[in-house]
Amino acid sequence: MIALNAGLGWLLITLGFASGTLIGLFFHRENWLGGYDSWRRRLLRLGHIAAVALGMLNVLFALSARHVQLSATDHVLCIYGFALGGVSMPTVCALSAWRKPMRHLFFIPVASLLTAGITFSSALFRGGITP
Ligand code: HEM
């Protein structure tokens, strides 16, 4: 099992719970952060969801990677692509909620997750699933 992605995955899931708890203290206020549809509230919500979802994705990768034949390069691209994507997506969401121009950093999580996803799925189609 790839320890980095498993450990980081559960940390992200827990941070997702914690961020949801924080948001949960104020979300009953109709106009909190400018209301449900405001840029700031939407990006904070997206960050909360991304932390939980990408945390689950990292754990899923850690559990399933041993059943897929990955070259040494594939391994590095997947381990660090899913990890960097998992950390940077909620971070860029929070930064963009704070300052809107920070949204220009979204290329970091997008590029790393696309790289890891394409690498892992093409390895899967190339070599199939090993028991
Ligand atoms: C301790 C656990 C959690 C807490 C306290 C929590 C809290 C919240 C709160 C307060 C909101 C509303 C945000 C707003 O109104 O702007 C929210 C939205 C959301 N949460 Fe969580 N959450 C938790 C776990 C999760 C998990 C495990 C998932 C998914 C696997 C999840 C997915 C979502 C989604 C998709 C939304 C957006 C719903 C919508 O469109 O309004 N949350 N959460």
Side-chain angles (χ1 to χ4, degrees):
M1 172 148 43
I2 298 175
L4 170 74
N5 301 88
L8 182 70
W10 282 110
L11 179 64
L12 282 168
I13 291 168
T14 309
L15 287 173
F17 294 164
S19 63
T21 306
L22 270 179
I23 298 172
L25 297 174
F26 309 103
F27 85 129
H28 62 290
R29 298 189 200 152
E30 278 305 317
N31 294 318
W32 182 56
L33 293 179
Y36 185 84
D37 296 330
S38 73
W39 166 265
R40 189 158 278 177
R41 178 109 168 244
R42 277 168 42 214
L43 268 291
L44 277 188
R45 191 162 57 239
L46 198 55
H48 155 66
I49 300 163
V52 176
L54 293 172
M56 290 195 276
L57 187 82
N58 268 277
V59 173
L60 197 59
F61 165 68
L63 290 171
S64 56
R66 71 182 141 168
H67 299 291
V68 179
Q69 281 159 8
L70 296 170
S71 68
T73 314
D74 291 348
H75 243 112
V76 170
L77 289 176
C78 290
I79 291 172
Y80 296 105
F82 286 128
L84 178 60
V87 171
S88 59
M89 186 65 89
T91 307
V92 175
C93 286
L95 288 173
S96 304
W98 175 56
R99 292 285 179 273
K100 207 167 185 174
M102 292 289 186
R103 70 186 190 283
H104 298 299
L105 294 174
F106 270 119
F107 75 91
I108 299 170
V110 171
S112 44
L113 290 169
L114 276 174
T115 305
I118 291 167
T119 305
F120 195 60
S121 47
S122 49
L124 196 62
F125 286 114
R126 246 195 339 266
I129 295 179
T130 52

Short mmCIF file of all heavy atoms in Angstrom, two decimals, residues 13 16-25 27 32 36 41-42 44-45 48-49 52-53 56, ligand 1:
data_model
loop_
_atom_site.label_atom_id
_atom_site.label_comp_id
_atom_site.label_asym_id
_atom_site.label_seq_id
_atom_site.Cartn_x
_atom_site.Cartn_y
_atom_site.Cartn_z
N ILE A 13 -9.59 13.75 4.46
CA ILE A 13 -10.98 13.45 4.81
C ILE A 13 -11.31 14.10 6.16
O ILE A 13 -12.35 14.75 6.33
CB ILE A 13 -11.22 11.92 4.86
CG1 ILE A 13 -11.13 11.33 3.45
CG2 ILE A 13 -12.56 11.58 5.50
CD1 ILE A 13 -11.06 9.81 3.40
N GLY A 16 -11.64 17.68 5.85
CA GLY A 16 -12.94 17.94 5.23
C GLY A 16 -14.05 17.97 6.27
O GLY A 16 -14.92 18.85 6.26
N PHE A 17 -14.02 17.01 7.21
CA PHE A 17 -15.00 17.01 8.30
C PHE A 17 -14.87 18.29 9.13
O PHE A 17 -15.86 18.94 9.47
CB PHE A 17 -14.78 15.80 9.22
CG PHE A 17 -15.04 14.45 8.62
CD1 PHE A 17 -14.57 13.31 9.24
CD2 PHE A 17 -15.70 14.30 7.41
CE1 PHE A 17 -14.79 12.05 8.70
CE2 PHE A 17 -15.93 13.06 6.85
CZ PHE A 17 -15.45 11.93 7.50
N ALA A 18 -13.61 18.65 9.44
CA ALA A 18 -13.37 19.83 10.29
C ALA A 18 -13.85 21.11 9.58
O ALA A 18 -14.51 21.95 10.21
CB ALA A 18 -11.88 19.93 10.61
N SER A 19 -13.55 21.24 8.29
CA SER A 19 -13.98 22.45 7.56
C SER A 19 -15.50 22.48 7.47
O SER A 19 -16.12 23.54 7.62
CB SER A 19 -13.36 22.47 6.16
OG SER A 19 -13.82 21.38 5.39
N GLY A 20 -16.14 21.31 7.31
CA GLY A 20 -17.59 21.25 7.28
C GLY A 20 -18.18 21.68 8.62
O GLY A 20 -19.20 22.37 8.69
N THR A 21 -17.51 21.26 9.70
CA THR A 21 -17.98 21.64 11.04
C THR A 21 -17.91 23.15 11.21
O THR A 21 -18.85 23.77 11.73
CB THR A 21 -17.10 20.92 12.10
OG1 THR A 21 -17.10 19.52 11.83
CG2 THR A 21 -17.60 21.18 13.50
N LEU A 22 -16.79 23.75 10.75
CA LEU A 22 -16.64 25.22 10.86
C LEU A 22 -17.71 25.94 10.05
O LEU A 22 -18.39 26.84 10.55
CB LEU A 22 -15.25 25.62 10.33
CG LEU A 22 -14.12 25.65 11.35
CD1 LEU A 22 -12.81 26.03 10.67
CD2 LEU A 22 -14.45 26.66 12.45
N ILE A 23 -17.90 25.51 8.79
CA ILE A 23 -18.94 26.11 7.94
C ILE A 23 -20.30 25.92 8.60
O ILE A 23 -21.15 26.80 8.60
CB ILE A 23 -18.93 25.48 6.54
CG1 ILE A 23 -17.60 25.72 5.83
CG2 ILE A 23 -20.07 26.01 5.69
CD1 ILE A 23 -17.46 24.94 4.52
N GLY A 24 -20.47 24.74 9.21
CA GLY A 24 -21.74 24.40 9.83
C GLY A 24 -22.13 25.32 10.99
O GLY A 24 -23.32 25.42 11.33
N LEU A 25 -21.14 26.02 11.57
CA LEU A 25 -21.46 26.94 12.68
C LEU A 25 -22.20 28.19 12.17
O LEU A 25 -22.88 28.86 12.95
CB LEU A 25 -20.17 27.37 13.38
CG LEU A 25 -19.37 26.24 14.06
CD1 LEU A 25 -18.05 26.79 14.59
CD2 LEU A 25 -20.19 25.60 15.17
N PHE A 27 -23.73 28.37 8.66
CA PHE A 27 -24.50 28.25 7.41
C PHE A 27 -25.99 28.46 7.59
O PHE A 27 -26.71 28.63 6.62
CB PHE A 27 -24.16 26.93 6.71
CG PHE A 27 -24.93 25.73 7.15
CD1 PHE A 27 -25.55 24.93 6.23
CD2 PHE A 27 -25.02 25.40 8.50
CE1 PHE A 27 -26.26 23.81 6.61
CE2 PHE A 27 -25.72 24.26 8.88
CZ PHE A 27 -26.36 23.48 7.93
N TRP A 32 -24.76 34.71 5.28
CA TRP A 32 -23.38 34.49 5.70
C TRP A 32 -22.44 34.52 4.48
O TRP A 32 -22.71 33.86 3.48
CB TRP A 32 -23.25 33.15 6.42
CG TRP A 32 -21.88 32.87 6.92
CD1 TRP A 32 -21.13 33.65 7.75
CD2 TRP A 32 -21.08 31.72 6.63
NE1 TRP A 32 -19.90 33.08 7.96
CE2 TRP A 32 -19.85 31.90 7.28
CE3 TRP A 32 -21.30 30.58 5.86
CZ2 TRP A 32 -18.83 30.96 7.20
CZ3 TRP A 32 -20.28 29.63 5.79
CH2 TRP A 32 -19.05 29.83 6.45
N TYR A 36 -25.71 31.94 0.00
CA TYR A 36 -25.37 30.61 -0.52
C TYR A 36 -24.66 30.68 -1.87
O TYR A 36 -23.76 29.88 -2.14
CB TYR A 36 -26.65 29.79 -0.65
CG TYR A 36 -26.44 28.36 -1.06
CD1 TYR A 36 -26.12 27.39 -0.12
CD2 TYR A 36 -26.54 27.99 -2.39
CE1 TYR A 36 -25.90 26.08 -0.49
CE2 TYR A 36 -26.32 26.68 -2.78
CZ TYR A 36 -26.00 25.73 -1.83
OH TYR A 36 -25.77 24.45 -2.21
N ARG A 41 -18.60 32.05 -0.49
CA ARG A 41 -19.25 30.88 0.13
C ARG A 41 -19.13 29.68 -0.78
O ARG A 41 -18.86 28.56 -0.33
CB ARG A 41 -20.72 31.22 0.41
CG ARG A 41 -21.55 30.10 1.00
CD ARG A 41 -21.91 30.34 2.44
NE ARG A 41 -22.93 29.38 2.83
CZ ARG A 41 -24.17 29.72 3.20
NH1 ARG A 41 -24.53 30.98 3.26
NH2 ARG A 41 -25.06 28.79 3.51
N ARG A 42 -19.29 29.87 -2.11
CA ARG A 42 -19.20 28.74 -3.05
C ARG A 42 -17.81 28.11 -3.04
O ARG A 42 -17.66 26.88 -3.02
CB ARG A 42 -19.52 29.21 -4.49
CG ARG A 42 -21.00 29.26 -4.79
CD ARG A 42 -21.31 29.99 -6.08
NE ARG A 42 -20.37 29.65 -7.15
CZ ARG A 42 -19.98 30.52 -8.07
NH1 ARG A 42 -20.44 31.76 -8.03
NH2 ARG A 42 -19.13 30.18 -9.02
N LEU A 44 -15.55 28.25 -0.62
CA LEU A 44 -15.30 27.55 0.65
C LEU A 44 -16.00 26.20 0.66
O LEU A 44 -15.44 25.19 1.10
CB LEU A 44 -15.81 28.40 1.82
CG LEU A 44 -14.89 29.50 2.34
CD1 LEU A 44 -15.46 30.11 3.62
CD2 LEU A 44 -13.49 28.96 2.61
N ARG A 45 -17.23 26.15 0.14
CA ARG A 45 -17.98 24.90 0.08
C ARG A 45 -17.27 23.90 -0.84
O ARG A 45 -17.13 22.72 -0.52
CB ARG A 45 -19.40 25.18 -0.44
CG ARG A 45 -20.37 24.05 -0.32
CD ARG A 45 -21.81 24.54 -0.43
NE ARG A 45 -22.09 25.26 -1.66
CZ ARG A 45 -22.52 26.51 -1.69
NH1 ARG A 45 -22.67 27.21 -0.59
NH2 ARG A 45 -22.77 27.11 -2.85
N HIS A 48 -14.33 22.41 0.90
CA HIS A 48 -14.77 21.38 1.85
C HIS A 48 -15.04 20.07 1.11
O HIS A 48 -14.56 19.00 1.50
CB HIS A 48 -16.04 21.88 2.56
CG HIS A 48 -16.94 20.83 3.10
ND1 HIS A 48 -16.58 20.01 4.14
CD2 HIS A 48 -18.19 20.45 2.74
CE1 HIS A 48 -17.58 19.19 4.40
NE2 HIS A 48 -18.56 19.43 3.57
N ILE A 49 -15.80 20.13 0.02
CA ILE A 49 -16.13 18.93 -0.74
C ILE A 49 -14.87 18.30 -1.35
O ILE A 49 -14.68 17.08 -1.31
CB ILE A 49 -17.13 19.28 -1.87
CG1 ILE A 49 -18.42 19.86 -1.29
CG2 ILE A 49 -17.43 18.07 -2.74
CD1 ILE A 49 -19.27 20.60 -2.30
N VAL A 52 -12.77 16.22 1.16
CA VAL A 52 -13.33 14.88 1.42
C VAL A 52 -13.18 13.98 0.19
O VAL A 52 -12.68 12.86 0.28
CB VAL A 52 -14.82 14.98 1.82
CG1 VAL A 52 -15.41 13.59 1.99
CG2 VAL A 52 -15.01 15.79 3.10
N ALA A 53 -13.57 14.49 -0.96
CA ALA A 53 -13.58 13.66 -2.17
C ALA A 53 -12.17 13.26 -2.61
O ALA A 53 -11.91 12.09 -2.92
CB ALA A 53 -14.28 14.41 -3.30
N MET A 56 -10.71 10.72 -0.28
CA MET A 56 -11.19 9.36 -0.61
C MET A 56 -10.46 8.82 -1.84
O MET A 56 -10.09 7.65 -1.90
CB MET A 56 -12.70 9.40 -0.86
CG MET A 56 -13.51 9.65 0.40
SD MET A 56 -15.25 9.25 0.19
CE MET A 56 -15.88 10.74 -0.54
C1 HEM B 1 -18.34 16.12 9.83
C2 HEM B 1 -18.75 15.97 8.60
C3 HEM B 1 -19.34 17.09 7.74
C4 HEM B 1 -19.84 18.31 8.08
C5 HEM B 1 -19.93 18.94 9.47
C6 HEM B 1 -20.30 18.96 6.86
C7 HEM B 1 -20.88 20.23 6.79
C8 HEM B 1 -21.36 20.83 5.63
C9 HEM B 1 -22.03 22.13 5.60
C10 HEM B 1 -22.27 23.02 6.80
C11 HEM B 1 -22.37 22.39 4.30
C12 HEM B 1 -23.15 23.63 3.74
C13 HEM B 1 -22.21 24.68 3.25
C14 HEM B 1 -22.92 25.95 2.81
O1 HEM B 1 -24.09 26.11 3.09
O2 HEM B 1 -22.27 26.81 2.16
C15 HEM B 1 -21.91 21.25 3.53
C16 HEM B 1 -22.07 21.14 2.15
C17 HEM B 1 -21.69 20.02 1.43
N1 HEM B 1 -21.03 18.92 1.92
FE1 HEM B 1 -20.48 18.55 3.84
N2 HEM B 1 -20.07 18.14 5.79
C18 HEM B 1 -19.48 16.97 6.28
C19 HEM B 1 -19.10 15.87 5.54
C20 HEM B 1 -19.27 15.74 4.17
C21 HEM B 1 -18.97 14.53 3.40
C22 HEM B 1 -18.40 13.24 3.97
C23 HEM B 1 -19.28 14.80 2.10
C24 HEM B 1 -19.17 13.94 0.85
C25 HEM B 1 -18.71 12.79 0.75
C26 HEM B 1 -19.80 16.17 2.05
C27 HEM B 1 -20.25 16.79 0.90
C28 HEM B 1 -20.88 18.03 0.87
C29 HEM B 1 -21.49 18.59 -0.33
C30 HEM B 1 -21.55 17.93 -1.72
C31 HEM B 1 -22.00 19.85 0.02
C32 HEM B 1 -22.69 20.87 -0.88
C33 HEM B 1 -24.17 20.67 -0.71
C34 HEM B 1 -24.87 21.80 -1.38
O3 HEM B 1 -24.87 21.85 -2.60
O4 HEM B 1 -25.38 22.63 -0.71
N3 HEM B 1 -19.78 16.72 3.32
N4 HEM B 1 -21.30 20.33 4.36
#
